[in-house]
Amino acid sequence: MTVLVWITEGTWQAAVDAARAHAPAGAEVTLLHVTGDDIAATAHGSFAGLLGRGHRERDPGDRLEVLSVSAVTALLDAAAERLGRPAARSQAHGRVEREVVRAAEGAELLICARDGDRHRLGPRSLGHTTRFVVDHAPCPVLLVWPGAAPDLGSIPPPPDRP
């Protein structure tokens, strides 16, 4: 069995704990982190358009990319340590939701954590990225709460019907 664990800042512990609990002992586990294009691209663009004019060597986007790689490596190291068993590590770069779906091809299980409103049950408990992944994943998805799930009292009342 192959299990892909999508690691994101802020919720990675819950995803790793779910892998520890639900991935069979002989499963091949891969820890995946995807870095979006938006931050470095914004820094590069801002510098080139407004601040840089002729000073490429001072572009902060390059430094952000280096810092991002080291932060992701540290995050994957922490996730592997928490998992407590051998796991491959994978880093991707691009549109996060599409890269996760692409990486899930061939996996038999994708484990990820909710990333939206953590105070109530319902569709808003998923951000747009996780919603896309859940809707398009080519394998079963185990979606976990990054903390204690809200109680049933958090479900909004049904709409009034005439």
Side-chain angles (χ1 to χ4, degrees):
M1 174 178 224
T2 57
V3 176
L4 180 66
V5 184
W6 178 23
I7 302 299
T8 61
E9 293 82 357
T11 62
W12 66 270
Q13 295 96 332
V16 170
D17 291 348
R20 288 174 50 192
H22 299 289
E28 293 179 21
V29 177
T30 298
L31 303 171
L32 169 70
H33 183 277
V34 180
T35 304
D37 290 330
D38 49 350
I39 295 174
T42 300
H44 284 306
S46 296
F47 184 76
L50 300 174
L51 308 170
R53 300 192 178 131
H55 298 282
R56 173 82 176 129
E57 71 280 357
R58 292 187 290 183
D59 184 348
D62 296 335
R63 180 73 176 132
L64 280 175
E65 287 177 17
V66 169
L67 289 171
S68 175
V69 168
S70 64
V72 169
T73 300
L75 183 63
L76 287 171
D77 288 347
E81 183 176 331
R82 187 177 184 108
L83 183 62
R85 63 191 264 189
R89 299 170 195 187
S90 180
Q91 296 182 37
H93 188 81
R95 293 198 50 175
V96 175
E97 63 275 14
R98 294 191 181 272
E99 293 300 322
V100 173
V101 169
R102 185 179 329 321
E105 186 174 5
E108 294 171 79
L109 179 63
L110 169 62
I111 299 175
C112 58
R114 293 175 179 268
D115 63 346
D117 184 349
R118 298 181 192 173
H119 303 292
R120 60 183 168 169
L121 300 170
R124 295 188 196 278
S125 67
L126 294 179
H128 73 278
T129 302
T130 303
R131 170 59 63 196
F132 184 96
V133 170
V134 168
D135 288 346
H136 295 89
C139 63
V141 177
L142 175 57
L143 180 63
V144 298
W145 284 93
D151 62 32
L152 294 178
S154 69
I155 297 174
D160 291 333
R161 299 210 172 166

